[in-house]
Amino acid sequence: MDAYNHGNPGSVREQRLNYFMENYLPKNEVLYRLPLDIQIEPFWAELSNRRKAGAVLLPLENAAGMPYWYTLTKKMVAASTRLCGEALNCTEEIDPFRMKMTSAMTQEMYFTSFVEGAQVSLEESLDFLGSGAEPSNINEQMVWNNKNAWEQMCKNLYRPMDEGYLKYLAWCLTDGMENCADDYRQTDTHPVAAMGYESYSVPPACRIPDMMRRYAAFLMDPGIHPLVKASAGAAYLLVTRPFPEGNERLSRMVPAAILFRSGYPFFKDISLSGVIAKENYLYYKGMCDIIRDGGDLTYFMEYYLEMLVRALDQMNEWKRRKREEEEKGLAKAEHEASGIPLGSSIQAASGRKDGDAPAAGQAGLTAPGSPGETESPAKMKQAESTAHDPPAVTSVHGNNGPAR
């Protein structure tokens, strides 16, 4: 019997409804948090109606022709406040006609394939890109395509993000591959490895051209916040799967192009796929949640905005540690040149005594080169050999194999 038919248990129901408005969980995760006297179907219907009542409708449609939507959660607001605060204090601007590749973008060429299960190491990828050789296998082809696509994206930041632009990037990402995206998907089904044996659907092929025209108009709309464009734009490609190949890599590339164009230049110094690779369970969970729901993109958008904050924090921490090591190196060089014993002078300057532990954050750098520095793959590889090892990135794919 449902809690609607009880007296006091109704307050428990209301508490649960309020909880799930604050903590935005999908239906399968709501179920096991309900007591047995609250049935999931009527509870989920009421919760969905409450969420939709305050939702923002997007000019993007699902396979049934209904608009996608999202609910602005407290976590999304907090993440946007953090990101916009960083943009407010940032004095750097990107020249759309002279955008250069950065070392983080070079790492992105590897990590965006690694996220999908590519069987190649970062070192092997850098060796290949630095060799100038033609691709000899599918992994090298993907890395080479990623490089070409990112170079073209940087060269065309001034270009509107219209349908032709999106098609061109998709083609660059899949050139020379079995299912090259020289046009939209022609089938009404599409494999999504992360969904496993679970039933799901994608929009029929006949609807994709119109859906992508709407998508391009959404990306070019100056009245929509760029953080909404980036997060919802990535989510839409993941649920629509408009191309026969490269959809997930395109879904990680389009938000970067949006952020570069929209006052967030610091993201050029971050490999977002590198961050996703460390937490790919959360990434694929958010993706599967929006595929299951069919209309609510909040699950992925909330994850994506919080991921951007984590990426920004990691970059700032990296820069802080890099400054500390540079300052230590400069102090050492000055003391060696002056003939003053280094140990006693550094201890005096820092206020430490013999036996004291070093200050936190004085460990080695976690990434080669300067984040904003343009580096060749060969130079990056050389820097890696002299820098401390970066933290390990663990892939969690289970038995699903690469996702497309």
Side-chain angles (χ1 to χ4, degrees), residues 86 265-270 309-321 371:
E86 190 78 13
F266 37 86
F267 281 111
K268 68 181 174 59
D269 298 327
I270 307 171
V309 172
R310 289 191 291 273
L312 182 61
D313 289 341
Q314 289 178 31
M315 183 195 70
N316 288 338
E317 173 63 13
W318 185 90
K319 287 184 174 180
R320 183 189 67 80
R321 296 172 68 179

Short mmCIF file of all heavy atoms in Angstrom, two decimals, residues 86 265-270 309-321 371:
data_model
loop_
_atom_site.label_atom_id
_atom_site.label_comp_id
_atom_site.label_asym_id
_atom_site.label_seq_id
_atom_site.Cartn_x
_atom_site.Cartn_y
_atom_site.Cartn_z
N GLU A 86 36.20 32.80 -11.99
CA GLU A 86 37.50 32.65 -12.62
C GLU A 86 37.58 33.48 -13.89
O GLU A 86 38.58 34.14 -14.17
CB GLU A 86 37.77 31.18 -12.94
CG GLU A 86 39.18 30.87 -13.38
CD GLU A 86 40.18 30.80 -12.25
OE1 GLU A 86 39.75 30.74 -11.08
OE2 GLU A 86 41.40 30.80 -12.53
N PRO A 265 39.24 31.44 -21.49
CA PRO A 265 40.47 31.04 -22.19
C PRO A 265 41.34 30.07 -21.40
O PRO A 265 42.16 29.37 -21.98
CB PRO A 265 41.19 32.38 -22.39
CG PRO A 265 40.69 33.26 -21.29
CD PRO A 265 39.26 32.86 -21.10
N PHE A 266 41.16 30.02 -20.06
CA PHE A 266 42.01 29.16 -19.25
C PHE A 266 41.79 27.68 -19.56
O PHE A 266 42.63 26.84 -19.26
CB PHE A 266 41.77 29.42 -17.75
CG PHE A 266 40.34 29.72 -17.38
CD1 PHE A 266 39.46 28.69 -17.11
CD2 PHE A 266 39.90 31.03 -17.31
CE1 PHE A 266 38.15 28.96 -16.76
CE2 PHE A 266 38.59 31.32 -16.96
CZ PHE A 266 37.70 30.28 -16.68
N PHE A 267 40.68 27.34 -20.20
CA PHE A 267 40.45 25.93 -20.53
C PHE A 267 41.34 25.43 -21.67
O PHE A 267 41.40 24.22 -21.90
CB PHE A 267 38.98 25.69 -20.85
CG PHE A 267 38.11 25.59 -19.64
CD1 PHE A 267 37.19 26.57 -19.35
CD2 PHE A 267 38.25 24.53 -18.76
CE1 PHE A 267 36.39 26.49 -18.22
CE2 PHE A 267 37.47 24.44 -17.61
CZ PHE A 267 36.54 25.42 -17.34
N LYS A 268 42.03 26.32 -22.34
CA LYS A 268 42.99 25.87 -23.35
C LYS A 268 44.20 25.20 -22.70
O LYS A 268 44.97 24.50 -23.37
CB LYS A 268 43.44 27.03 -24.23
CG LYS A 268 44.29 28.08 -23.53
CD LYS A 268 44.68 29.21 -24.45
CE LYS A 268 45.41 30.32 -23.71
NZ LYS A 268 46.63 29.89 -23.05
N ASP A 269 44.37 25.41 -21.41
CA ASP A 269 45.50 24.84 -20.69
C ASP A 269 45.11 23.60 -19.89
O ASP A 269 45.83 23.17 -19.00
CB ASP A 269 46.10 25.89 -19.73
CG ASP A 269 46.64 27.10 -20.48
OD1 ASP A 269 47.13 26.91 -21.61
OD2 ASP A 269 46.56 28.22 -19.94
N ILE A 270 43.94 23.04 -20.20
CA ILE A 270 43.44 21.87 -19.48
C ILE A 270 42.99 20.82 -20.48
O ILE A 270 42.24 21.14 -21.41
CB ILE A 270 42.25 22.24 -18.57
CG1 ILE A 270 42.59 23.40 -17.64
CG2 ILE A 270 41.79 21.02 -17.77
CD1 ILE A 270 41.40 23.95 -16.89
N VAL A 309 34.82 22.45 -12.88
CA VAL A 309 35.39 23.05 -11.67
C VAL A 309 36.57 22.22 -11.17
O VAL A 309 37.62 22.76 -10.80
CB VAL A 309 34.32 23.19 -10.57
CG1 VAL A 309 34.95 23.63 -9.25
CG2 VAL A 309 33.26 24.20 -10.99
N ARG A 310 36.41 20.89 -11.17
CA ARG A 310 37.52 20.04 -10.74
C ARG A 310 38.72 20.20 -11.67
O ARG A 310 39.88 20.22 -11.21
CB ARG A 310 37.06 18.58 -10.70
CG ARG A 310 36.09 18.27 -9.58
CD ARG A 310 35.87 16.78 -9.41
NE ARG A 310 35.15 16.18 -10.51
CZ ARG A 310 33.83 16.12 -10.61
NH1 ARG A 310 33.07 16.65 -9.66
NH2 ARG A 310 33.25 15.53 -11.63
N ALA A 311 38.48 20.33 -12.95
CA ALA A 311 39.57 20.53 -13.91
C ALA A 311 40.29 21.85 -13.63
O ALA A 311 41.52 21.93 -13.66
CB ALA A 311 39.03 20.51 -15.34
N LEU A 312 39.51 22.90 -13.36
CA LEU A 312 40.08 24.20 -13.07
C LEU A 312 40.91 24.16 -11.79
O LEU A 312 42.03 24.71 -11.74
CB LEU A 312 38.96 25.23 -12.94
CG LEU A 312 39.36 26.68 -12.68
CD1 LEU A 312 40.22 27.21 -13.80
CD2 LEU A 312 38.12 27.54 -12.49
N ASP A 313 40.40 23.50 -10.77
CA ASP A 313 41.15 23.39 -9.51
C ASP A 313 42.45 22.63 -9.70
O ASP A 313 43.48 22.98 -9.12
CB ASP A 313 40.29 22.71 -8.45
CG ASP A 313 39.15 23.59 -7.96
OD1 ASP A 313 39.23 24.82 -8.16
OD2 ASP A 313 38.18 23.05 -7.39
N GLN A 314 42.41 21.58 -10.50
CA GLN A 314 43.64 20.81 -10.76
C GLN A 314 44.67 21.66 -11.50
O GLN A 314 45.86 21.60 -11.21
CB GLN A 314 43.31 19.56 -11.57
CG GLN A 314 42.56 18.50 -10.78
CD GLN A 314 42.21 17.28 -11.61
OE1 GLN A 314 42.93 16.92 -12.54
NE2 GLN A 314 41.10 16.63 -11.29
N MET A 315 44.21 22.47 -12.45
CA MET A 315 45.13 23.33 -13.18
C MET A 315 45.75 24.37 -12.26
O MET A 315 46.97 24.62 -12.29
CB MET A 315 44.42 24.03 -14.34
CG MET A 315 45.35 24.91 -15.18
SD MET A 315 44.49 26.08 -16.26
CE MET A 315 43.80 27.23 -15.07
N ASN A 316 44.94 24.99 -11.41
CA ASN A 316 45.46 26.00 -10.49
C ASN A 316 46.45 25.40 -9.50
O ASN A 316 47.47 26.02 -9.16
CB ASN A 316 44.31 26.68 -9.76
CG ASN A 316 43.51 27.61 -10.66
OD1 ASN A 316 44.01 28.08 -11.69
ND2 ASN A 316 42.27 27.88 -10.30
N GLU A 317 46.17 24.19 -9.03
CA GLU A 317 47.10 23.52 -8.13
C GLU A 317 48.41 23.19 -8.85
O GLU A 317 49.50 23.34 -8.29
CB GLU A 317 46.46 22.24 -7.58
CG GLU A 317 47.38 21.35 -6.75
CD GLU A 317 47.88 22.03 -5.48
OE1 GLU A 317 47.34 23.09 -5.10
OE2 GLU A 317 48.82 21.48 -4.86
N TRP A 318 48.31 22.76 -10.09
CA TRP A 318 49.51 22.48 -10.89
C TRP A 318 50.36 23.73 -11.05
O TRP A 318 51.58 23.71 -10.89
CB TRP A 318 49.09 21.93 -12.25
CG TRP A 318 50.23 21.48 -13.11
CD1 TRP A 318 50.79 20.24 -13.16
CD2 TRP A 318 50.97 22.28 -14.05
NE1 TRP A 318 51.82 20.21 -14.06
CE2 TRP A 318 51.96 21.45 -14.62
CE3 TRP A 318 50.90 23.60 -14.45
CZ2 TRP A 318 52.85 21.91 -15.58
CZ3 TRP A 318 51.79 24.06 -15.41
CH2 TRP A 318 52.75 23.22 -15.96
N LYS A 319 49.72 24.84 -11.35
CA LYS A 319 50.46 26.10 -11.53
C LYS A 319 51.11 26.55 -10.22
O LYS A 319 52.23 27.06 -10.22
CB LYS A 319 49.51 27.18 -12.06
CG LYS A 319 49.12 27.00 -13.52
CD LYS A 319 48.26 28.16 -14.01
CE LYS A 319 47.98 28.04 -15.49
NZ LYS A 319 47.16 29.16 -16.00
N ARG A 320 50.39 26.35 -9.11
CA ARG A 320 50.96 26.75 -7.81
C ARG A 320 52.21 25.94 -7.51
O ARG A 320 53.24 26.50 -7.10
CB ARG A 320 49.91 26.53 -6.71
CG ARG A 320 50.38 26.98 -5.33
CD ARG A 320 49.41 26.55 -4.25
NE ARG A 320 49.38 25.11 -4.09
CZ ARG A 320 50.30 24.43 -3.41
NH1 ARG A 320 51.34 25.05 -2.86
NH2 ARG A 320 50.22 23.12 -3.30
N ARG A 321 52.15 24.65 -7.72
CA ARG A 321 53.31 23.81 -7.44
C ARG A 321 54.45 24.12 -8.40
O ARG A 321 55.62 24.08 -8.02
CB ARG A 321 52.90 22.34 -7.54
CG ARG A 321 51.88 21.95 -6.48
CD ARG A 321 51.34 20.56 -6.69
NE ARG A 321 52.36 19.55 -6.44
CZ ARG A 321 52.14 18.24 -6.55
NH1 ARG A 321 50.95 17.81 -6.91
NH2 ARG A 321 53.11 17.38 -6.31
N PRO A 371 51.54 24.94 -18.72
CA PRO A 371 50.23 24.67 -19.28
C PRO A 371 49.93 25.48 -20.52
O PRO A 371 49.30 25.00 -21.43
CB PRO A 371 49.28 25.05 -18.13
CG PRO A 371 50.10 24.96 -16.91
CD PRO A 371 51.49 25.32 -17.32
#
